[in-house]
Amino acid sequence: MVRVEFLGPIQKEPLELDITNLSQLADVLQQDETMTEWLQNSAVAINDTLTSSLNVELKDGDKVSLLPPVCGG
Amino acid sequence: MVRVEFLGPIQKEPLELDITNLSQLADVLQQDETMTEWLQNSAVAINDTLTSSLNVELKDGDKVSLLPPVCGG
Amino acid sequence: MLYLYDGGLKVADILKEWYEQELENNYGAYIPFVGTVRSEDGIDGLSFDIYEPILESWFDSWQEKAKAKGAILKMAHARGDVMLHESSYVSAVFSPKRRVALEFIDEFVEAFKASAPIWKYDLKDGKRIYAKDRSTAIEGSGILGEKR
Amino acid sequence: MLYLYDGGLKVADILKEWYEQELENNYGAYIPFVGTVRSEDGIDGLSFDIYEPILESWFDSWQEKAKAKGAILKMAHARGDVMLHESSYVSAVFSPKRRVALEFIDEFVEAFKASAPIWKYDLKDGKRIYAKDRSTAIEGSGILGEKR
């Protein structure tokens, strides 16, 4: 299972999904209309490292995080 | 009389001169060979206001200051 | 040298502590940046969420950039609520030379605003409202939303 | 808001005092610059002469430039001897917005180095040696040396 976490202002509980890559995650999340805008403006991290490509394999125990637009300071 | 002061590292006592403009001051100071380099790299203030022109009249009681290269901080 | 605190920062203590930490280390220039909550749009304060694992690796990567220039960075940020006229953010660069320090504090503060994993909310009328309009999408965002 | 002190500056106290002076005045950004005496070329310290009447009018003119941008400046400098790892100079800008503050502290510090009427000396082997090679002629210098 892969754990998916939604950070900051995204009001969504974590998911535990049986997926093997980020494209599958995109398929799942695009079903959820409340996520449409967040999917377009959020960055993605796998095990706390940012990725800019969907062509990444996921393995059991991996953690995926969605990071919406930031504003520190 | 016009008082002429030499600031910072210029090792020269103040002068009291009977002059009416900065050109006369240049004539006087250019006689002093120890001043050659300072005259070329110093700024000039009259009554604590910097001037960039020799065409300035001086009157009795005025103060002229020579400011050599600076380095604060 | 990344410090996170609950609530508003004790700025004077932080600036003093950092100054004293580096006093003997022969840095000619110390430039802190202090961010303080301003009264605007009727807010009572701001509130912050921080995702610490990525903030730490983000900060480490900037510390490496500083080191390559002979400089070092320090940073403190508030978690949770920070009320009006309290400070939420302090960062600082120490460098042997002033030009490096003046350029690096600017570069670092701007990168911080654009990419550090921190989310800001306005506190207003008892609500905590995401500061969406002032937020910036992290570089590389949007891959999960691409049409398929 | 120009402060001159004999000998090395009490930096932590100065940074704290300035922070507290402006805390309620709705400035979002506070950026101090602190200059500290570095060990190099075998010096024991630095020493400074200041011509105060012109420093004051020079500072006032920069305060006006800050004001035109909605910002304010503060500055402290040491007179006389400042030993290794002591600080001789602190300046700071307060501004509602960070871009103004980041740009103005850079502009001000560089202008300060190039034109404030302060002279620096190395303290070395018991002597006080004018730091000629690091000094900058004020703009408009040389009129008395022109060939006639």
Side-chain angles (χ1 to χ4, degrees), chain B:
Chain B
M1 299 294 271
V2 170
R3 182 177 172 86
V4 184
E5 295 183 345
F6 303 90
L7 300 178
I10 311 178
Q11 302 281 332
K12 187 174 171 78
E13 291 298 307
L15 303 173
E16 295 277 348
L17 298 175
D18 188 13
I19 53 178
T20 58
N21 59 55
L22 280 182
S23 293
Q24 290 175 325
L25 177 60
D27 290 339
V28 171
L29 294 177
Q30 287 184 14
Q31 308 299 313
D32 178 351
E33 285 187 7
T34 67
M35 286 298 295
T36 305
E37 191 177 351
W38 294 123
L39 295 183
Q40 278 159 14
N41 63 19
S42 291
V44 179
I46 300 172
N47 300 327
D48 296 330
T49 297
L50 289 168
T51 179
S52 54
S53 163
L54 280 188
N55 301 320
V56 179
E57 305 242 316
L58 296 170
K59 61 183 188 305
D60 192 42
D62 278 351
K63 176 176 74 170
V64 176
S65 311
L66 268 70
L67 295 88
V70 297
C71 187

Side-chain angles (χ1 to χ4, degrees), chain B residues 7-9 22-23 26-27 30 37-45 48 52 54 63 66-73, chain D residues 48-49 51 53-54 77 88-89 112-114 116-121 130 132 134-137 141-146 148:
Chain B
L7 300 178
L22 280 182
S23 293
D27 290 339
Q30 287 184 14
E37 191 177 351
W38 294 123
L39 295 183
Q40 278 159 14
N41 63 19
S42 291
V44 179
D48 296 330
S52 54
L54 280 188
K63 176 176 74 170
L66 268 70
L67 295 88
V70 297
C71 187
Chain D
F48 297 90
D49 288 341
Y51 187 59
I54 292 184
H77 204 286
S88 50
Y89 174 55
F112 168 80
K113 299 293 287 190
I118 301 179
W119 296 276
K120 179 181 285 180
Y121 304 82
Y130 175 50
K132 183 180 164 184
R134 283 121 73 201
S135 297
T136 305
S141 286
I143 55 172
L144 290 178
E146 286 164 11
R148 304 165 55 69

Side-chain angles (χ1 to χ4, degrees), chain C residues 16-34:
Chain C
K16 176 181 201 244
E17 188 183 326
W18 293 355
Y19 177 70
E20 291 175 352
Q21 282 170 358
E22 303 303 330
L23 197 50
E24 306 290 321
N25 294 341
N26 225 30
Y27 293 113
Y30 167 34
I31 309 183
F33 177 100
V34 179

